[in-house]
């Protein structure tokens, strides 16, 4: 397909998103709209839109490419997600609604103090900048290969255009717009997934077996690995890591929780989480099925395409123009449904948590400052994505993303666990030091155990990091006085 036609498809797609933005931003331009959508979002719309935001372009590209090396082992992590989402729905959401939070990290201020609050928000900002940049890098790289290289457009220009398009449809109403654009983008992504899997299956010319039977009988569909506890693919490592990954990357993540907090009530938010969990589990499984079929297709036809290149190469060169168009739309939809909410949540967290604009400025100035911060983080994402171009070489992006998550979200896991499950008072001034030392120590331990004993922590490093943070907080804690206990827990002695 000629690049000009691809550009027209992309332009039409973003024209639809900008139209949705216009329709959802007719109300007064306010930070309450931008941050919380006035808490008027239907739960089922939030649930459906969160699927695309959770999967992102990383899942769209990397999960199918993982099957060749890891088979269906990723489902071990996905099953862990289910446990994590149960914890979010029954423990964290009730807490956030009870405290009526705009930023979920405000809880840390109420529980520990200002230093802990700023530490939690800072780790989120770091995690989300890098995570969103990973996701957008992947998509920008694909667009560069299939369109812009041929047109002579440099990578930095592709990245800049990508971010500008996100800014255009989020700058006015933020999360209120994103709740609806994410729903639309999730739909596009799932249609692309369905078209791709049916096309590949038909092209394989499989006779005498249904698709379900064919996938079930394949060696590549092996799902559970109990053989070697030292391996990073060992079931209990993957399952527990999945549970904690979902807790930190959804329940302790301003990006994902900001959508939940736009629901009308706690009950609606919990219904959203329940249905979201079911559909997300099914969709991840279908992505792995697509990966299996694509891997077999590539092997049978002698196609040299692996890991993150598998889906893109087959869609562009082998599966026909129809699949390629849907692949392109699905990829962009998956990436942008994650990236747009990331930009909004970064703006929200920095405005509320770091600058305290709700306390320091009047309403008119709050809007002005929020708009400037929105532009600032757009520029930050551009710079980080361009930097990744010279860092990422051949490893699957999703693996890098989860490993990085283990080090940056670990302190948040430790902080919230300590706050929720103990009645101790941590010394607030020492909390930042504990939060910084824990990832460093986790890295040293994981490297040492692999070198000395061949034991791979893998995604399990997140739990190690959280435990180290928890232990560090124990060491700097004391029992609160009755007066302090009443303030911290609102439970008088």
């Amino acid at each position: 397909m000629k690049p000009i036609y691809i550009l027209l498809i992309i332009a039409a797609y973003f024209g639809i998103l900008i139209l949705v933005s216009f329709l959802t931003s007719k109300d007064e331009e306010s930070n309450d709209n931008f941050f919380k959508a006035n808490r008027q979002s239907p739960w089922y719309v939030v649930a459906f839109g969160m699927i695309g935001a959770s999967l992102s372009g990383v899942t769209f590209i990397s999960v199918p490419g993982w099957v060749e090396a890891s088979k269906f082992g990723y489902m071990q992590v996905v099953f862990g997600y289910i446990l994590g989402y149960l914890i979010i729905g029954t423990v964290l959401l009730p807490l956030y609604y009870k405290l009526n939070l705009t930023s979920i990290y405000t809880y840390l201020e109420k529980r520990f103090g200002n230093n802990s609050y700023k530490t939690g928000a800072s780790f989120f900002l770091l995690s989300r900048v890098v995570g969103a940049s990973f996701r957008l890098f992947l998509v920008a790289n694909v667009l560069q290969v299939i369109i812009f290289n041929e047109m002579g457009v440099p990578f930095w220009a592709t990245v800049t255009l990508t971010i500008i398009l996100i800014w255009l449809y989020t700058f006015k109403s933020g999360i209120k717009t994103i709740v609806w654009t994410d729903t639309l983008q999730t739909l596009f992504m799932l249609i692309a997934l369905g078209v791709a899997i049916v096309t590949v299956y038909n092209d394989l010319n499989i006779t005498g077996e249904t698709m379900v039977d064919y996938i079930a009988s394949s060696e590549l569909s092996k799902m559970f690995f109990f053989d070697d506890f030292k391996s990073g693919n060992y079931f209990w490592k993957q399952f527990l890591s999945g549970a904690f990954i979902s807790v930190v990357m959804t329940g302790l993540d301003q990006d994902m929780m900001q959508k939940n907090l736009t629901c009308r009530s706690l009950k609606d938010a919990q219904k959203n989480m329940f249905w979201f969990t079911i559909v997300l589990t099914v969709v991840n499984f279908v992505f792995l099925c697509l990966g299996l079929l694509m891997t077999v297709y590539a092997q049978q036809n002698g196609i040299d395409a692996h890991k993150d290149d598998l889906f893109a190469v087959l869609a562009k060169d082998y599966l026909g123009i129809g699949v390629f168009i849907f692949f392109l739309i699905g990829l962009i939809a998956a990436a942008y449904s994650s990236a747009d909410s990331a930009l909004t949540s970064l703006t929200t967290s920095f405005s509320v948590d770091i600058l305290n604009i709700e306390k320091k400025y009047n309403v008119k100035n709050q809007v002005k400052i929020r708009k400037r911060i929105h532009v600032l983080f757009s520029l930050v994402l551009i710079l980080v994505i361009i930097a990744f171009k010279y860092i990422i070489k051949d490893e699957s992006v999703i693996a890098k993303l989860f490993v990085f998550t283990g080090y940056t979200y670990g302190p948040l896991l430790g902080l919230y666990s300590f706050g929720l499950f103990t009645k101790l008072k941590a010394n607030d001034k020492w909390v930042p030091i504990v939060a910084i030392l824990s990832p460093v120590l986790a890295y040293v331990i994981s490297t040492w155990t692999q070198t000395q004993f061949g034991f791979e922590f893998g995604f399990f490093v997140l739990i190690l990091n959280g435990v180290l943070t928890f232990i560090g907080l124990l060491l700097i804690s004391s029992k609160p006085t009755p007066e302090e206990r009443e303030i911290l827990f609102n439970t008088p002695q």
Side-chain angles (χ1 to χ4, degrees), residues 56-124:
S56 80
V58 173
T59 305
F60 199 81
I61 289 292
S62 287
V63 169
W66 247 10
V67 172
E68 183 179 14
S70 303
K71 302 181 180 178
F72 274 29
Y74 182 58
M75 282 304 296
Q76 298 176 132
V77 178
V78 175
F79 290 137
Y81 291 169
I82 297 173
L83 174 60
Y85 292 138
L86 176 64
I87 294 170
I88 293 168
T90 57
V91 178
L92 293 177
L93 280 177
L95 173 68
Y96 298 154
Y97 269 84
K98 177 183 178 182
L99 297 176
N100 191 29
L101 302 181
T102 298
S103 167
I104 63 173
Y105 307 114
T106 310
Y107 164 74
L108 297 176
E109 181 180 33
K110 297 176 184 293
R111 177 63 175 84
F112 298 117
N114 189 62
N115 288 332
S116 303
Y117 173 38
K118 301 297 184 185
T119 299
S122 297
F123 269 92
F124 162 73

Side-chain angles (χ1 to χ4, degrees), residues 229-267:
F229 76 93
K230 293 182 180 181
S231 169
N233 212 26
Y234 183 63
F235 173 80
W236 288 110
K237 286 184 190 177
Q238 297 275 294
F239 178 80
L240 292 175
S241 296
F244 283 96
I245 284 170
S246 63
V247 168
V248 298
M249 292 190 72
T250 301
L252 304 183
D253 185 284
Q254 177 65 25
D255 183 352
M256 299 301 293
M257 285 295 98
Q258 193 166 350
K259 295 186 182 72
N260 283 270
L261 295 176
T262 68
C263 291
R264 296 184 176 100
S265 66
L266 170 61
K267 185 177 180 181

Side-chain angles (χ1 to χ4, degrees), residues 16-26 168-173 177 181:
I16 295 173
L17 294 185
I18 291 171
L19 175 61
V20 172
S21 174
F22 173 76
L23 294 174
T24 56
S25 60
K26 289 183 176 180
L168 277 175
Y169 69 85
T170 60
F171 80 96
K172 188 174 182 181
S173 292
T177 294
T181 55

Side-chain angles (χ1 to χ4, degrees), residues 200 203-206 214 293-303:
V200 177
D203 284 1
L204 283 171
N205 296 317
I206 298 169
Y214 181 80
L293 295 175
M294 284 188 161
T295 300
V296 173
Y297 182 91
Q299 291 172 349
Q300 288 184 358
N301 291 277
I303 301 169

Side-chain angles (χ1 to χ4, degrees), residues 114-283:
N114 189 62
N115 288 332
S116 303
Y117 173 38
K118 301 297 184 185
T119 299
S122 297
F123 269 92
F124 162 73
L125 291 170
L126 173 63
S127 304
R128 184 48 66 186
V129 165
V130 175
S133 298
F134 264 129
R135 293 175 171 94
L136 283 171
F137 163 79
L138 185 63
V139 178
N141 214 34
V142 171
L143 292 176
Q144 188 70 27
V145 171
I146 65 178
I147 308 173
F148 295 114
N149 277 342
E150 188 175 338
M151 298 176 66
V153 178
F155 182 75
W156 66 265
T158 303
V159 171
T160 303
L161 175 63
T162 299
I163 301 298
I164 288 174
L165 289 171
I166 293 176
W167 181 87
L168 277 175
Y169 69 85
T170 60
F171 80 96
K172 188 174 182 181
S173 292
I175 197 68
K176 184 176 181 181
T177 294
I178 286 166
V179 165
W180 292 97
T181 55
D182 277 5
T183 300
L184 184 65
Q185 294 186 119
T186 298
L187 178 62
F188 284 137
M189 185 197 69
L190 295 182
I191 291 173
L193 173 61
V195 169
I197 199 168
V198 170
T199 302
V200 177
Y201 178 74
N202 289 337
D203 284 1
L204 283 171
N205 296 317
I206 298 169
T207 57
E209 284 185 293
T210 65
M211 184 188 302
V212 173
D213 292 335
Y214 181 80
I215 291 171
S217 63
S218 172
E219 292 183 359
L220 290 173
S221 65
K222 182 179 180 180
M223 192 177 296
F224 301 107
F225 296 84
F226 292 97
D227 302 332
D228 182 9
F229 76 93
K230 293 182 180 181
S231 169
N233 212 26
Y234 183 63
F235 173 80
W236 288 110
K237 286 184 190 177
Q238 297 275 294
F239 178 80
L240 292 175
S241 296
F244 283 96
I245 284 170
S246 63
V247 168
V248 298
M249 292 190 72
T250 301
L252 304 183
D253 185 284
Q254 177 65 25
D255 183 352
M256 299 301 293
M257 285 295 98
Q258 193 166 350
K259 295 186 182 72
N260 283 270
L261 295 176
T262 68
C263 291
R264 296 184 176 100
S265 66
L266 170 61
K267 185 177 180 181
D268 277 358
Q270 289 174 320
K271 283 193 291 186
N272 152 50
M273 187 58 62
F274 172 77
W275 286 106
F276 158 73
T277 301
I278 293 174
V279 178
L280 185 69
T281 302
V282 173
V283 171

Side-chain angles (χ1 to χ4, degrees), residues 58 62 65-66 306-308 392 394-401:
V58 173
S62 287
W66 247 10
H306 311 277
K307 296 184 178 179
D308 293 344
I392 298 176
D394 58 355
E395 188 177 349
S396 290
V397 173
I398 195 169
K400 285 183 177 289
L401 178 63

Side-chain angles (χ1 to χ4, degrees), residues 373-449:
I373 295 169
H374 200 204
V375 173
L376 171 65
F377 274 106
S378 299
L379 294 173
V380 169
L381 290 178
I382 289 171
L383 293 175
V384 175
I385 294 168
I386 293 172
F388 283 160
K389 181 69 174 176
Y390 303 99
I391 297 173
I392 298 176
K393 299 299 180 183
D394 58 355
E395 188 177 349
S396 290
V397 173
I398 195 169
K400 285 183 177 289
L401 178 63
F402 283 155
V403 169
F404 181 82
T405 296
Y407 291 106
T408 57
Y409 279 98
L412 284 172
L413 176 62
L415 278 166
Y416 276 84
S417 299
F418 190 87
L420 290 168
F421 301 118
T422 76
K423 297 295 184 182
L424 297 175
K425 177 191 173 186
N427 190 326
D428 184 53
K429 71 178 181 179
W430 294 106
V431 169
I433 296 176
V434 171
I436 292 170
L437 288 178
S438 295
V440 174
L441 187 56
Y443 177 77
V444 171
I445 292 173
S446 63
T447 303
W448 180 75
T449 55

